[in-house]
Each structure stands twice: as structure tokens, then as C-alpha cells.
Amino acid sequence: MSGHGVNRPVVAGVLAAGRGVRSLWLLALLLVVWEIAARMAGSLFIPPVSQIFGAFVDTWLSASPSSLFLSSQFRADVLPSLVRLGLGYGAATVLGVGLGILIGVWRPAGAFFNPLIRLGMSVPVTALLPIAIVLFGITSGMNVFLIALGCLWPILINTYDGVRGIDRTVVIAARSLRLTRRRYFLRVLLPGASPAIFAGMRISIGIALVLMVISELYAATAGLGFYIVSQQRLFQFPQLWSAIVLLALLGILFNAIFALVERVLLRWHRNVRPDGAESH
């Protein structure tokens, strides 16, 4: 048994490495096909991968090592976008988790606000862009507002469902032990709802990136979205594609960091499968 226990992580690591190698080969093949097809087509709008890579390095990573190779263009456009993303996502997380726990614990509030929340979810946030521009003007506050509003609903709904889905037997056991409200919140409610909370937060990462770019496309004076529009108007398509590649890399990086944090904080939940979740 001990031999199997030692070999199991090794086998899992080898299998994961094999999947990673296969994915890299597929990516390399796609890039080669892109390079050949782009050179044969000679399109201005879809340049070869080599040109995009060159523009990526020149645009974003052309500074000295003392600046971590991050160029002035990176600091001028990427950093403002990341600040807006962080503020909007952070505000959505605080509000979504807080309100989700409140309406999940307090049943009358849940019954009253649930239709309003479902209605808010059904409205595309991008449709509110003209109203946000009127209210906030072309400022970073407008971008933060749209990002926060778009990320709020998945986090709120998942938190609400997580609180309402805590195993009924666990709730009864906590009541029989006469736990204080603080201990019940920290030992029962928050751990029980945290998998659903993290699921909503992870979904919202992609939504935050999309709304960050969309809001900057139409109403910003700096940022990745603003840079993409400006390069499109100047017909600088290698630079435009380099910004798209940077966005993809940022999305991969954020998801990898979040997956690592989730794995560390929710490691207790990996082998737990709730059987008696309360249905509503």
C-alpha cells in the first residue's frame, strides 16, 4: 500500500506532463500553419506569427533589465488596465460575497431580492456602457464600474447558492453544539460555501478581462483596449495582434494563479463529496 501511495503522485505528475507536451505540440503546429498561411495570403490584417512575436517584444518587452524588460508602452497602457481590473474585480468580490451570504442566511431577503438579482443578470452589462459614460464620463471610474457590475452577479449568485447548499446535517450539528455566530460563520458557513464562492470568482476573471477591454475600446485615454483601437486606426496590425496575445497571456496567468490559490485554500475539499446538500 505504501508503494502505491508513493507512486501515485509520480504517475499523476507524469500524466500531467504528457498532456502538457501534447498541448504544446498542438500549439506549435497551429503557429506553424498560421505562419505559412499568412505568408501565402499576404494579408495586411492577419500578419505572420513571426511579425506578431517581433512586435510583441518591441512593444512590451523592450526595456532594460532594471525595469524587468517592461517597456514604457507597457507602463502606459497595461498598468492602467490592470489597476482598473483589480479595483473592479475587488469591489465585485467584496460586494458579491457579502450580499450573497446575507441573502443566503436571511431567507426573507433571499426571497425578496432573488427576482431582482436574476433580472440584473439577464441585462448585458455592455448595454449599460452609454449610461455609464454619461454618469462617470470618460474616466477610470466608468471602467471600474462596468467591470465591477459584470463580475458582481456570478460571485453573488454562486455565494448565495453555496450558502443555501450547505449540508443540512452539518447545520443541525452546529446548532446542537450551540456554536456562537462567529464560530458558526468561520467554521461552518464560510468553509461550506467557499467552493461555490471560488467558482463564481474564477468565472468572473474572464468576465473582468472582457469588460476591461470593451470599456476601454470606447471610452478610455489609456489601456489595452485603447491601444488596440489606436493601432487599428493606424493600420499597425502586428502591434494590434501583439496586444491580443498579451491579453491571452494575462488571462492564462490570472487563471493559473487563481487555480493555485484555490488548490491551496480548498485542498480539504478535494476528496469531499457532499451527499446531503439542501435543495431549494
Side-chain angles (χ1 to χ4, degrees):
M1 292 296 292
S2 61
H4 290 296
V6 172
N7 292 331
R8 190 174 301 164
V10 176
V11 173
V14 171
L15 292 176
R19 289 193 296 268
V21 170
R22 288 196 298 270
S23 300
L24 289 177
W25 274 109
L26 178 60
L27 177 60
L29 178 62
L30 291 175
L31 293 178
V32 170
V33 171
W34 184 334
E35 178 76 17
I36 296 173
R39 290 192 176 277
M40 292 178 62
S43 173
L44 173 67
F45 308 110
I46 305 179
V49 174
S50 56
Q51 290 186 18
I52 297 174
F53 178 76
F56 183 91
V57 174
D58 293 339
T59 304
W60 310 114
L61 301 175
S62 58
S64 62
S66 61
S67 302
L68 300 177
F69 300 101
L70 301 179
S71 66
S72 59
Q73 193 71 56
F74 187 99
R75 294 191 296 270
D77 286 315
V78 179
L79 294 185
S81 293
L82 294 180
V83 170
R84 294 165 186 153
L85 179 72
L87 291 175
Y89 184 79
T93 300
V94 172
L95 288 175
V97 173
L99 293 176
I101 291 176
L102 176 63
I103 65 177
V105 172
W106 190 19
R107 290 175 180 265
F112 180 79
F113 287 107
N114 190 45
L116 299 177
I117 293 171
R118 304 294 175 177
L119 177 63
M121 287 188 63
S122 64
V123 177
V125 177
T126 52
L128 302 176
L129 179 59
I131 299 175
I133 293 176
V134 171
L135 293 176
F136 295 94
I138 302 178
T139 63
S140 293
M142 185 277 298
N143 306 98
V144 172
F145 169 76
L146 279 182
I147 294 170
L149 187 62
C151 296
L152 173 65
W153 306 117
I155 298 175
L156 194 155
I157 289 297
N158 275 271
T159 302
Y160 170 77
D161 290 340
V163 172
R164 299 285 289 175
I166 295 176
D167 194 335
R168 185 65 180 172
T169 57
V170 175
V171 177
I172 295 175
R175 290 174 179 172
S176 65
L177 293 174
R178 299 181 182 276
L179 297 180
T180 63
R181 291 184 178 181
R182 181 175 179 274
R183 289 178 64 85
Y184 174 77
F185 177 80
L186 294 176
R187 299 295 182 88
V188 178
L189 192 147
L190 194 59
S194 56
I197 294 174
F198 272 89
M201 292 173 62
R202 193 166 189 175
I203 293 171
S204 294
I205 292 177
I207 296 174
L209 279 171
V210 171
L211 292 175
M212 178 193 78
V213 175
I214 291 177
S215 63
E216 291 175 349
L217 285 174
Y218 296 99
T221 56
L224 275 171
F226 174 78
Y227 179 82
I228 289 173
V229 170
S230 63
Q231 297 308 302
Q232 180 261 334
R233 291 171 180 170
L234 295 173
F235 287 85
Q236 299 291 332
F237 287 96
Q239 287 76 10
L240 184 152
W241 280 98
S242 74
I244 295 174
V245 171
L246 180 59
L247 282 170
L249 294 177
L250 288 175
I252 294 172
L253 176 63
F254 292 154
N255 275 283
I257 293 174
F258 195 91
L260 178 62
V261 173
E262 185 178 10
R263 184 175 301 175
V264 171
L265 295 181
L266 297 183
R267 57 175 175 239
W268 58 269
H269 185 256
R270 293 181 193 174
N271 299 323
V272 176
R273 294 294 181 270
D275 299 321
E278 184 181 0
S279 59
H280 299 272

